[in-house]
Amino acid sequence: MDAFVIQGGKQLKGTIRVNGSKNASLPLMAAALLTNQPVVLEGVPALADINNMKRLLSELGCGSTETASPRRMTLQSKNETAHAARYDIVRTMRASICVLGPLLARRGMARVSMPGGCSIGDRPVDLHLKGLAALGAEISLESGDIVTRAPRGGRLKGARIFLGGAFGPTVLGTANVMSAAVLAEGITVIESAACEPEVEDLAVMLNSMGAHITGAGTPRIVIEGVKELHGTTHSVIPDRIEAGTYIMAAAATNGHVTIENCPIDDLLAACERLESAGVHVRCREEGLQRRTRATVEVTSDRRLRSTQITTQPHPGFPTDLQAQFMALLTLADGNSIITERIYPQRFLHAAELTRMGAQIHHQSGTAVVSGVKELIGAPVMASDLRASASLILAGLAARGRTTVLRVYHLDRGYERMEERLKAVGADIERIDDKDLPQNGSGGD
Ligand code: EPU
């Protein structure tokens, strides 16, 4: 298995260009199941999760071809008889659930293995199923698989659906119900829809395929069903979480980094909290239009200030940046409080950061981080995608050598992170963990 070896303490300086969004790309790719015409996606990142989705779509009769420069992926459903997503693919990637709505709407049936829990929490799919049931789907659980069937006559029926849950709206649930409703008969209204930019991007693409969706990006989405969709070409939005991670990497090293193609207006809550901690994020673009592909400069004070964050649905502080922000706050003056409202158990990175000298106590969705003077390099274990990013940020800031094991988690969501960090001055290498000394000792 691959690991990263980081020699900390190097200031990052230079330019990083943000890639296309992973979390936008996955439902966009699944939406190619809604038509038998080609769907061309520009800017899909090269990641393990994207490869898993390609594999799943190919099993569902939707093949893909790609060009590298310009980066373009063409998907086309040529065999529309398959309708089952196997457990061994769903288990590697929860986002496989995205195929449920498109398969049901276009092929009249879908069988998707029920995703299990994962390291960041329980992650149920009850809201996805509630939404599809409201559209008239019959739903059952058979041998661990969710089996959904369109009503007799083959077409789903528009409905008014409240999609909020105990932890707020659901991003992929909104994507699933919206993707199914575009081919339903009549009008669907989704109340308490997720407002994330990835949902909005999906609506933009579906509309370019002939759908009639209004309100995406707000809590009320209205969908007027159509009989058929056609192919399209769509450019994926930049990845706000990747952008936020590199902004925080710059801050963790007191660096000076320019971030290009940055969806800064989708990161306002994170930027506001960063400013409160003493990180300066200056956007070069002026004017009132939404800045989704901006150029921003990141600098920070020598010593960060403690602050509070609470993760919330968009436009609040994103849960997918909580772990990275925690790494920053381990070095801030004073006590910081992190409240995790989306996944109250998403603190696996805290114990690993503690191995590097951080002082963190957490209970029931709240963590108190008491800033320390320095972190000290150590061998640490990545447990999920964003936890891996957090450990890498800590390693960049720490004194001495940090070894981050199991970086396959990171490769699910960050393309060639080590090369991109190296290009701005980090001392970071990818190695095979078989080449590590048996005792795995870290430090200087
Ligand atoms: N929830 C339910 N029932 C449901 C669905 C969700 O109770 O049927 C709960 C969840 O347990 C959670 C909250 O609602 O407490 C929000 O979950 P959501 O459904 O919005 O999460 P998701 O759509 O499965 C996406 C991202 C996650 C990101 C969350 C929240 C993708 C592929 N995944 O997941 O990204 O954390 O939204 O913003 O888009 C990541 O990239 O590292 C990642 C985990």
Side-chain angles (χ1 to χ4, degrees):
M1 266 186 272
D2 284 359
F4 281 175
V5 177
I6 305 166
Q7 198 66 42
K10 306 273 186 298
Q11 274 191 321
L12 301 189
K13 285 205 168 89
T15 301
I16 298 179
R17 191 173 172 78
V18 178
N19 283 322
S21 160
K22 163 184 88 82
N23 287 350
S25 297
L26 294 167
L28 291 171
M29 289 170 74
L33 294 167
L34 286 164
T35 172
N36 58 8
Q37 294 182 14
V39 170
V40 181
L41 293 174
E42 293 171 343
V44 176
L47 300 168
D49 273 11
I50 298 294
N51 288 337
N52 281 329
M53 183 57 91
K54 275 195 295 196
R55 194 155 64 95
L56 174 56
L57 291 177
S58 138
E59 288 204 1
L60 293 169
C62 177
S64 57
T65 54
E66 278 174 274
T67 61
S69 176
R71 192 174 276 194
R72 193 171 279 159
M73 177 188 289
T74 304
L75 296 151
Q76 187 168 14
S77 288
K78 290 196 169 151
N79 171 1
E80 296 190 278
T81 54
H83 58 261
R86 282 187 294 122
Y87 177 61
D88 61 334
I89 300 187
V90 177
R91 146 179 97 77
T92 56
M93 186 185 60
R94 290 185 52 86
S96 309
I97 194 79
C98 296
V99 300
L100 191 60
L103 279 179
L104 173 68
R106 171 82 184 176
R107 302 187 186 177
M109 183 172 173
R111 184 177 191 119
V112 177
S113 190
M114 172 79 101
C118 77
S119 54
I120 66 175
D122 288 344
R123 307 190 72 187
V125 291
D126 56 314
L127 298 171
H128 300 235
L129 304 186
K130 171 180 148 179
L132 297 176
L135 295 174
E138 288 165 22
I139 300 176
S140 56
L141 189 66
E142 295 173 18
S143 313
D145 293 343
I146 302 162
V147 181
T148 60
R149 290 185 181 80
R152 258 174 230 276
R155 222 168 149 201
L156 298 167
K157 286 215 165 23
R160 181 179 292 269
I161 305 167
F162 177 77
L163 216 51
F167 297 93
T170 161
V171 178
L172 292 181
T174 303
N176 246 332
V177 176
M178 186 167 80
S179 300
V182 289
L183 290 181
E185 196 183 331
I187 293 180
T188 297
V189 180
I190 306 178
E191 301 281 6
S192 195
C195 301
E196 270 66 4
E198 294 78 18
V199 171
E200 211 180 330
D201 198 35
L202 175 62
V204 168
M205 185 178 92
L206 291 172
N207 280 342
S208 76
M209 295 167 74
H212 293 160
I213 304 171
T214 54
T218 77
R220 185 169 200 267
I221 302 180
V222 180
I223 304 144
E224 202 182 314
V226 295
K227 279 214 165 105
E228 264 204 335
L229 295 181
H230 51 75
T232 191
T233 296
H234 178 79
S235 186
V236 180
I237 53 170
D239 195 314
R240 64 194 166 102
I241 305 302
E242 189 193 57
T245 303
Y246 287 126
I247 290 174
M248 292 181 199
T253 64
N254 285 128
H256 183 169
V257 173
T258 304
I259 312 272
E260 291 178 348
N261 202 34
C262 179
I264 192 73
D265 281 351
D266 295 335
L267 278 168
L268 292 180
C271 289
E272 190 267 337
R273 290 291 82 196
L274 283 163
E275 286 287 343
S276 86
V279 180
H280 311 296
V281 184
R282 298 275 170 271
C283 184
R284 283 196 201 151
E285 273 77 358
E286 285 175 4
L288 292 178
Q289 76 283 19
R290 183 162 162 199
R291 300 162 304 173
T292 52
R293 293 182 185 270
T295 301
V296 305
E297 308 274 346
V298 187
T299 52
S300 66
D301 296 341
R302 281 210 75 70
R303 191 84 197 145
L304 296 181
R305 292 184 293 274
S306 56
T307 190
Q308 285 94 43
I309 63 165
T310 300
T311 64
Q312 284 172 330
H314 192 75
F317 190 100
T319 173
D320 294 341
L321 285 174
Q322 179 261 111
Q324 300 87 316
F325 207 92
M326 181 184 276
L328 269 191
L329 293 178
T330 61
L331 290 166
D333 273 334
N335 293 331
S336 298
I337 300 176
I338 298 180
T339 308
E340 176 52 75
R341 285 255 169 86
I342 310 292
Y343 300 113
Q345 299 164 42
R346 194 178 202 178
F347 284 126
L348 283 179
H349 43 286
E352 298 300 300
L353 291 171
T354 304
R355 289 173 48 72
M356 300 176 71
Q359 286 195 12
I360 304 164
H361 300 279
H362 67 93
Q363 202 172 21
S364 318
T366 299
V368 177
V369 184
S370 306
V372 292
K373 283 224 155 52
E374 63 172 7
L375 295 176
I376 300 164
V380 286
M381 181 91 79
S383 55
D384 74 70
L385 168 56
R386 307 303 171 188
S388 326
S390 154
L391 298 177
I392 286 159
L393 264 52
L396 292 173
R399 174 162 64 81
R401 196 181 73 187
T402 296
T403 308
V404 183
L405 299 164
R406 300 199 179 171
V407 293
Y408 64 86
H409 288 293
L410 187 90
D411 294 334
R412 290 186 38 219
Y414 294 91
E415 189 178 330
R416 297 177 296 106
M417 189 191 241
E418 75 285 16
E419 288 175 29
R420 302 174 74 205
L421 287 172
K422 219 190 274 189
V424 291
D427 184 341
I428 178 168
E429 295 294 338
R430 181 185 289 263
I431 59 157
D432 188 326
D433 65 5
K434 282 198 227 81
D435 299 333
L436 286 169
Q438 278 311 299
N439 64 12
S441 62
D444 290 300

